[in-house]
Structures are given as structure tokens and as C-alpha cells.
Coordinates of all heavy atoms in Angstrom, one line a residue:
M1 N 9.0 70.8 -8.7 CA 8.5 70.4 -10.0 C 9.1 69.0 -10.4 O 10.2 68.7 -10.2 CB 8.9 71.4 -11.1 CG 8.1 72.7 -11.0 SD 6.5 72.5 -11.7 CE 5.9 74.2 -11.3
R2 N 8.2 68.2 -10.9 CA 8.7 66.9 -11.5 C 8.1 66.8 -12.9 O 7.1 67.5 -13.2 CB 8.3 65.8 -10.6 CG 6.8 65.6 -10.5 CD 6.4 64.3 -9.7 NE 6.7 63.1 -10.5 CZ 6.5 61.9 -10.0 NH1 6.1 61.7 -8.8 NH2 6.7 60.9 -10.8
T3 N 8.7 66.0 -13.7 CA 8.2 65.7 -15.0 C 7.5 64.4 -15.1 O 8.1 63.4 -14.7 CB 9.3 65.8 -16.0 OG1 10.0 67.1 -15.9 CG2 8.8 65.7 -17.5
T4 N 6.3 64.4 -15.6 CA 5.5 63.2 -15.7 C 5.2 63.0 -17.1 O 4.7 63.9 -17.8 CB 4.2 63.2 -14.8 OG1 4.6 63.3 -13.5 CG2 3.3 62.0 -15.1
V5 N 5.4 61.8 -17.6 CA 5.0 61.4 -19.0 C 3.8 60.6 -19.0 O 3.7 59.6 -18.2 CB 6.2 60.7 -19.7 CG1 5.7 60.2 -21.1 CG2 7.4 61.6 -19.8
I6 N 2.8 61.0 -19.7 CA 1.5 60.2 -19.8 C 1.2 59.8 -21.2 O 1.3 60.6 -22.1 CB 0.3 61.1 -19.3 CG1 0.6 61.6 -17.8 CG2 -1.0 60.4 -19.4 CD1 -0.3 62.7 -17.3
N7 N 0.9 58.5 -21.4 CA 0.6 58.0 -22.7 C -0.9 58.1 -23.0 O -1.7 57.8 -22.1 CB 1.0 56.5 -22.8 CG 2.5 56.4 -22.7 OD1 3.3 57.0 -23.5 ND2 3.0 55.6 -21.7
I8 N -1.2 58.7 -24.1 CA -2.6 59.0 -24.4 C -3.0 58.3 -25.7 O -2.3 58.3 -26.7 CB -2.7 60.5 -24.6 CG1 -2.2 61.3 -23.4 CG2 -4.1 60.9 -25.0 CD1 -2.0 62.8 -23.6
K9 N -4.2 57.8 -25.7 CA -4.8 57.2 -26.9 C -5.9 58.1 -27.4 O -6.7 58.6 -26.6 CB -5.3 55.8 -26.5 CG -5.3 54.8 -27.6 CD -5.6 53.4 -27.0 CE -6.5 52.6 -28.0 NZ -6.9 51.3 -27.4
G10 N -6.0 58.2 -28.7 CA -7.2 58.9 -29.2 C -6.9 60.3 -29.8 O -7.8 60.9 -30.4
M11 N -5.6 60.7 -29.8 CA -5.3 62.0 -30.5 C -5.1 61.7 -32.0 O -4.3 60.8 -32.3 CB -4.0 62.6 -29.9 CG -4.1 63.1 -28.5 SD -2.6 64.0 -28.0 CE -1.3 62.8 -28.0
T12 N -5.8 62.5 -32.8 CA -5.7 62.2 -34.2 C -5.2 63.4 -35.0 O -4.9 63.3 -36.2 CB -7.0 61.7 -34.8 OG1 -8.0 62.7 -34.5 CG2 -7.4 60.4 -34.2
C13 N -5.2 64.6 -34.4 CA -4.8 65.8 -35.2 C -4.2 66.8 -34.2 O -4.2 66.6 -33.0 CB -6.0 66.4 -35.9 SG -7.1 67.2 -34.8
M14 N -3.7 67.9 -34.8 CA -3.0 68.9 -34.0 C -4.0 69.7 -33.1 O -3.7 70.3 -32.1 CB -2.2 69.9 -34.9 CG -1.0 69.3 -35.5 SD 0.1 68.5 -34.2 CE 0.8 69.9 -33.4
G15 N -5.3 69.6 -33.5 CA -6.4 70.2 -32.7 C -6.5 69.4 -31.4 O -6.6 70.1 -30.3
C16 N -6.4 68.1 -31.5 CA -6.5 67.3 -30.3 C -5.3 67.7 -29.4 O -5.4 67.8 -28.1 CB -6.4 65.8 -30.6 SG -7.6 65.2 -31.7
V17 N -4.1 67.8 -30.0 CA -2.9 68.1 -29.2 C -3.1 69.4 -28.5 O -2.8 69.5 -27.3 CB -1.7 68.2 -30.2 CG1 -0.5 68.8 -29.5 CG2 -1.4 66.8 -30.8
K18 N -3.6 70.4 -29.2 CA -3.7 71.7 -28.7 C -4.7 71.7 -27.5 O -4.5 72.4 -26.5 CB -4.2 72.7 -29.7 CG -3.8 74.1 -29.4 CD -4.0 75.1 -30.6 CE -3.6 76.5 -30.1 NZ -4.0 77.5 -31.1
S19 N -5.8 71.0 -27.7 CA -6.8 71.0 -26.6 C -6.3 70.3 -25.3 O -6.6 70.8 -24.2 CB -8.2 70.5 -27.1 OG -8.1 69.2 -27.6
I20 N -5.6 69.3 -25.5 CA -5.0 68.6 -24.3 C -4.0 69.5 -23.6 O -4.0 69.7 -22.4 CB -4.4 67.3 -24.6 CG1 -5.4 66.3 -25.1 CG2 -3.6 66.7 -23.4 CD1 -4.9 64.9 -25.5
K21 N -3.2 70.2 -24.4 CA -2.2 71.1 -23.9 C -2.9 72.2 -23.1 O -2.4 72.6 -22.0 CB -1.4 71.7 -25.1 CG -0.1 72.2 -24.8 CD 0.7 72.6 -26.0 CE 1.9 73.4 -25.6 NZ 3.1 73.2 -26.4
N22 N -3.9 72.8 -23.7 CA -4.6 73.8 -23.0 C -5.3 73.4 -21.7 O -5.2 74.1 -20.7 CB -5.8 74.4 -23.9 CG -5.2 75.2 -25.0 OD1 -4.1 75.7 -25.0 ND2 -6.0 75.4 -26.1
V23 N -5.9 72.2 -21.7 CA -6.5 71.6 -20.5 C -5.4 71.5 -19.4 O -5.7 71.8 -18.2 CB -7.1 70.2 -20.8 CG1 -7.3 69.4 -19.6 CG2 -8.4 70.4 -21.6
L24 N -4.3 71.0 -19.8 CA -3.2 70.7 -18.8 C -2.6 72.0 -18.2 O -2.4 72.2 -17.0 CB -2.1 69.9 -19.3 CG -2.5 68.4 -19.7 CD1 -1.4 67.7 -20.4 CD2 -2.8 67.6 -18.4
K25 N -2.4 73.0 -19.1 CA -1.7 74.2 -18.8 C -2.5 75.1 -17.8 O -1.9 75.9 -17.0 CB -1.4 75.0 -20.0 CG -0.1 74.5 -20.7 CD 0.3 75.5 -21.7 CE 1.8 75.4 -22.0 NZ 2.3 76.2 -23.1
I26 N -3.9 75.0 -17.8 CA -4.7 75.8 -16.9 C -4.8 75.2 -15.5 O -5.3 75.9 -14.6 CB -6.1 76.2 -17.5 CG1 -6.8 74.9 -17.7 CG2 -6.0 77.0 -18.7 CD1 -8.3 75.1 -18.0
L27 N -4.3 74.0 -15.3 CA -4.5 73.4 -14.0 C -3.5 74.0 -13.1 O -2.3 74.2 -13.4 CB -4.2 71.9 -14.1 CG -5.2 71.1 -15.0 CD1 -4.6 69.6 -15.1 CD2 -6.5 71.0 -14.3
P28 N -3.9 74.3 -11.8 CA -3.0 74.8 -10.8 C -1.9 73.8 -10.5 O -2.2 72.6 -10.4 CB -3.9 75.0 -9.6 CG -5.3 74.8 -10.0 CD -5.3 74.2 -11.4
G29 N -0.7 74.3 -10.4 CA 0.4 73.4 -10.1 C 1.1 72.8 -11.4 O 2.1 72.2 -11.2
V30 N 0.6 73.1 -12.5 CA 1.3 72.7 -13.8 C 2.1 73.9 -14.3 O 1.6 75.0 -14.5 CB 0.2 72.3 -14.9 CG1 0.9 72.1 -16.2 CG2 -0.5 71.0 -14.4
G31 N 3.4 73.6 -14.5 CA 4.3 74.6 -15.0 C 4.2 74.6 -16.5 O 3.9 75.7 -17.1
D32 N 4.5 73.5 -17.1 CA 4.5 73.5 -18.6 C 4.0 72.1 -19.1 O 4.1 71.1 -18.3 CB 5.9 73.7 -19.2 CG 5.8 74.2 -20.6 OD1 4.7 74.5 -21.1 OD2 6.8 74.2 -21.3
A33 N 3.4 72.1 -20.2 CA 2.9 70.8 -20.8 C 3.2 70.8 -22.3 O 2.9 71.7 -23.0 CB 1.4 70.7 -20.6
D34 N 3.9 69.7 -22.6 CA 4.2 69.5 -24.0 C 3.4 68.2 -24.5 O 3.5 67.2 -23.8 CB 5.7 69.3 -24.3 CG 6.3 70.6 -24.5 OD1 5.8 71.3 -25.4 OD2 7.3 70.9 -23.9
V35 N 2.7 68.3 -25.6 CA 2.0 67.1 -26.0 C 2.5 66.8 -27.4 O 2.6 67.7 -28.3 CB 0.4 67.4 -26.1 CG1 -0.3 66.2 -26.5 CG2 0.0 67.8 -24.7
S36 N 2.8 65.5 -27.6 CA 3.2 65.1 -28.9 C 2.3 64.1 -29.6 O 1.9 63.1 -29.0 CB 4.6 64.4 -28.8 OG 4.9 63.6 -29.9
L37 N 1.9 64.5 -30.8 CA 1.0 63.6 -31.6 C 1.7 62.3 -32.0 O 1.1 61.2 -31.8 CB 0.5 64.4 -32.8 CG -0.5 63.7 -33.7 CD1 -1.8 63.3 -33.0 CD2 -0.9 64.6 -34.9
E38 N 2.9 62.4 -32.5 CA 3.5 61.2 -33.0 C 4.0 60.3 -31.9 O 4.0 59.1 -32.1 CB 4.7 61.6 -33.9 CG 5.7 62.6 -33.3 CD 6.9 62.8 -34.3 OE1 6.9 62.3 -35.4 OE2 7.9 63.4 -33.8
N39 N 4.3 60.8 -30.7 CA 4.6 59.9 -29.6 C 3.4 59.5 -28.8 O 3.5 58.7 -27.9 CB 5.6 60.6 -28.7 CG 6.9 60.9 -29.3 OD1 7.3 60.2 -30.3 ND2 7.6 61.9 -28.9
A40 N 2.2 60.1 -29.1 CA 1.0 59.8 -28.4 C 1.2 60.0 -26.9 O 0.9 59.2 -26.0 CB 0.5 58.4 -28.7
Q41 N 1.7 61.2 -26.5 CA 2.2 61.3 -25.2 C 2.2 62.8 -24.7 O 2.4 63.7 -25.5 CB 3.6 60.8 -25.3 CG 4.5 60.8 -24.2 CD 5.7 59.9 -24.4 OE1 6.7 60.5 -24.8 NE2 5.7 58.6 -24.2
A42 N 1.9 63.0 -23.4 CA 2.1 64.3 -22.8 C 3.2 64.3 -21.8 O 3.4 63.3 -21.1 CB 0.8 64.7 -22.1
R43 N 4.0 65.3 -21.8 CA 5.1 65.5 -20.9 C 4.7 66.7 -20.1 O 4.7 67.9 -20.6 CB 6.4 65.7 -21.7 CG 7.6 65.8 -20.8 CD 8.9 65.8 -21.7 NE 9.1 64.6 -22.4 CZ 9.8 63.6 -22.0 NH1 10.5 63.7 -20.9 NH2 9.9 62.5 -22.7
V44 N 4.5 66.5 -18.8 CA 4.0 67.6 -18.0 C 4.9 67.9 -16.8 O 5.3 67.0 -16.1 CB 2.6 67.2 -17.4 CG1 1.9 68.4 -16.7 CG2 1.7 66.7 -18.5
Q45 N 5.2 69.2 -16.7 CA 6.0 69.6 -15.5 C 5.0 70.1 -14.4 O 4.2 71.0 -14.7 CB 7.0 70.7 -15.9 CG 8.0 70.2 -16.8 CD 9.1 71.2 -17.1 OE1 9.5 71.9 -16.2 NE2 9.4 71.4 -18.4
H46 N 5.0 69.5 -13.3 CA 4.0 69.8 -12.3 C 4.6 69.7 -10.9 O 5.6 68.9 -10.7 CB 2.8 69.0 -12.4 CG 3.0 67.5 -12.2 ND1 2.4 66.8 -11.1 CD2 3.7 66.6 -12.9 CE1 2.8 65.5 -11.2 NE2 3.6 65.4 -12.3
D47 N 4.0 70.4 -10.0 CA 4.3 70.3 -8.6 C 3.4 69.2 -8.0 O 2.2 69.5 -7.8 CB 4.1 71.7 -7.9 CG 4.5 71.7 -6.4 OD1 4.6 70.6 -5.8 OD2 4.6 72.8 -5.9
D48 N 3.9 68.1 -7.6 CA 3.0 67.0 -7.2 C 2.5 67.2 -5.8 O 1.6 66.4 -5.3 CB 3.6 65.6 -7.4 CG 5.0 65.4 -6.7 OD1 5.4 66.3 -6.0 OD2 5.5 64.3 -6.9
A49 N 2.9 68.2 -5.1 CA 2.2 68.6 -3.8 C 0.9 69.3 -4.1 O 0.0 69.4 -3.3 CB 3.1 69.5 -3.0
I50 N 0.8 69.9 -5.3 CA -0.4 70.6 -5.7 C -1.3 69.8 -6.6 O -2.5 69.7 -6.5 CB 0.0 72.0 -6.4 CG1 0.8 72.8 -5.4 CG2 -1.3 72.7 -6.9 CD1 1.3 74.1 -6.0
I51 N -0.6 69.1 -7.6 CA -1.4 68.3 -8.5 C -0.8 66.9 -8.8 O 0.4 66.9 -9.1 CB -1.7 69.1 -9.8 CG1 -2.7 68.2 -10.7 CG2 -0.5 69.5 -10.6 CD1 -3.5 69.1 -11.7
S52 N -1.6 65.9 -8.5 CA -1.1 64.5 -8.6 C -1.1 64.0 -10.0 O -1.8 64.6 -10.9 CB -1.9 63.6 -7.7 OG -3.3 63.6 -8.2
I53 N -0.4 63.0 -10.3 CA -0.5 62.3 -11.6 C -1.9 61.9 -11.9 O -2.4 62.0 -13.0 CB 0.5 61.1 -11.7 CG1 1.9 61.6 -11.5 CG2 0.3 60.3 -13.0 CD1 2.9 60.5 -11.4
A54 N -2.6 61.3 -10.9 CA -4.0 60.9 -11.1 C -4.9 62.0 -11.5 O -5.7 61.8 -12.4 CB -4.5 60.3 -9.8
L55 N -4.7 63.2 -11.0 CA -5.5 64.3 -11.4 C -5.2 64.8 -12.8 O -6.1 65.2 -13.6 CB -5.3 65.5 -10.4 CG -6.5 65.8 -9.6 CD1 -6.1 66.6 -8.3 CD2 -7.5 66.6 -10.4
L56 N -3.9 64.7 -13.2 CA -3.5 65.0 -14.6 C -4.2 64.1 -15.5 O -4.8 64.5 -16.5 CB -2.0 64.9 -14.7 CG -1.1 65.9 -14.0 CD1 0.3 65.5 -14.1 CD2 -1.4 67.4 -14.5
E57 N -4.2 62.8 -15.2 CA -4.8 61.8 -16.0 C -6.3 62.0 -16.1 O -6.9 61.8 -17.2 CB -4.4 60.4 -15.5 CG -3.0 60.1 -15.6 CD -2.6 58.7 -15.1 OE1 -3.4 58.1 -14.3 OE2 -1.5 58.2 -15.4
Q58 N -6.9 62.3 -15.0 CA -8.3 62.5 -15.0 C -8.7 63.7 -15.9 O -9.7 63.6 -16.6 CB -8.9 62.7 -13.6 CG -10.4 62.6 -13.5 CD -10.9 61.3 -14.1 OE1 -10.5 60.2 -13.8 NE2 -11.9 61.4 -15.0
S59 N -7.9 64.7 -15.9 CA -8.2 65.9 -16.7 C -8.2 65.5 -18.2 O -8.9 66.0 -19.0 CB -7.2 67.0 -16.4 OG -7.3 67.3 -15.0
I60 N -7.2 64.7 -18.5 CA -7.1 64.2 -19.9 C -8.3 63.4 -20.3 O -8.9 63.5 -21.4 CB -5.8 63.5 -20.2 CG1 -4.6 64.4 -20.0 CG2 -5.8 62.8 -21.5 CD1 -3.3 63.7 -19.9
R61 N -8.7 62.5 -19.4 CA -9.9 61.7 -19.7 C -11.2 62.6 -19.8 O -12.0 62.4 -20.7 CB -10.2 60.7 -18.5 CG -9.2 59.6 -18.5 CD -9.6 58.4 -17.7 NE -8.6 57.4 -17.6 CZ -7.7 57.4 -16.5 NH1 -7.9 58.3 -15.5 NH2 -6.8 56.5 -16.5
D62 N -11.3 63.6 -18.9 CA -12.4 64.5 -19.0 C -12.5 65.3 -20.3 O -13.5 65.7 -20.8 CB -12.4 65.5 -17.8 CG -12.7 64.8 -16.5 OD1 -13.1 63.7 -16.5 OD2 -12.4 65.5 -15.4
A63 N -11.3 65.4 -20.9 CA -11.2 66.1 -22.2 C -11.6 65.2 -23.4 O -11.6 65.6 -24.5 CB -9.9 66.7 -22.4
G64 N -11.8 63.9 -23.1 CA -12.3 63.0 -24.1 C -11.3 62.1 -24.7 O -11.5 61.4 -25.7
F65 N -10.2 61.9 -24.0 CA -9.1 61.0 -24.5 C -8.9 59.9 -23.5 O -9.3 60.0 -22.3 CB -7.8 61.8 -24.8 CG -8.0 62.9 -25.8 CD1 -8.5 64.2 -25.4 CD2 -7.9 62.6 -27.1 CE1 -8.7 65.2 -26.3 CE2 -8.1 63.6 -28.1 CZ -8.5 64.9 -27.7
E66 N -8.2 58.9 -24.0 CA -7.9 57.7 -23.1 C -6.5 57.8 -22.7 O -5.6 58.1 -23.4 CB -8.1 56.5 -24.0 CG -8.5 55.3 -23.2 CD -8.7 54.0 -24.1 OE1 -9.3 54.2 -25.2 OE2 -8.3 53.0 -23.7
V67 N -6.3 57.5 -21.4 CA -5.0 57.4 -20.8 C -4.6 55.9 -20.7 O -5.3 55.1 -20.2 CB -4.9 58.0 -19.4 CG1 -3.5 57.8 -18.8 CG2 -5.2 59.5 -19.5
V68 N -3.4 55.6 -21.3 CA -3.0 54.2 -21.3 C -1.8 53.9 -20.5 O -1.1 54.8 -20.2 CB -2.8 53.7 -22.8 CG1 -4.2 53.6 -23.5 CG2 -1.9 54.5 -23.6
Ligands
LIG101 MO1 -8.4 66.3 -33.4 MO2 -10.6 67.4 -34.5 O1 -10.0 66.0 -32.9 O2 -12.4 67.3 -33.8 S1 -9.7 65.2 -34.7 S2 -9.4 68.2 -32.7

């Protein structure tokens, strides 16, 4: 497991936070995901042999947010 921090643009409420959190948590290889509205950031624990950073980022984009 490694921890990856991803900066996200476009979260405006706790609903946004929750939906990104849910999107990340259901991905295979993700242990835990914490999303912070005030830091505009996701902190994801993942096994990078199973899920790459690029895939995490793409999942956030697919959910309608911008990765910066
Ligand atoms: Mo945060 Mo609400 O979106 O549509 S502004 S969930």
C-alpha cells in the first residue's frame, strides 16, 4: 500500500466530497480514501500493483471533477 495525494478542482460541497470518496473506495486495490473539501485534495491508500495513480485520477475525472 502506498499513499497518494491528488489535488482536485471543482468540489464545492460535502456531497461532492462524498461522491468522490465513494468512487475511489469501490475501486479494486484501494484501501481507504479520505477527501478534504478545504484542502481540495484526496488522500488515497492503494496498492499500486493493482491500481495506478493514473487510474485513480481518471476515476475522479469520470466523476466530473478536475485533477490538477
Ligand atoms: Mo457538491 Mo451538489 O455538487 O450537486 S455541489 S454534490
Side-chain angles (χ1 to χ4, degrees):
M1 286 283 176
R2 63 175 286 177
T3 303
T4 294
V5 175
I6 300 170
N7 295 304
I8 302 165
K9 208 169 144 185
M11 292 190 292
T12 54
C13 72
M14 287 311 287
C16 302
V17 169
K18 203 168 180 193
S19 54
I20 293 178
K21 205 173 162 143
N22 289 339
V23 159
L24 293 171
K25 277 190 158 176
I26 58 167
L27 295 171
V30 170
D32 199 13
D34 271 309
V35 181
S36 163
L37 181 61
E38 53 177 7
N39 296 334
Q41 176 170 98
R43 184 176 293 267
V44 188
Q45 294 185 44
H46 63 113
D47 182 341
D48 59 2
I50 299 175
I51 185 155
S52 63
I53 295 172
L55 249 160
L56 294 172
E57 292 180 344
Q58 191 54 52
S59 305
I60 293 171
R61 291 200 186 92
D62 288 347
F65 299 89
E66 207 180 320
V67 173
V68 290

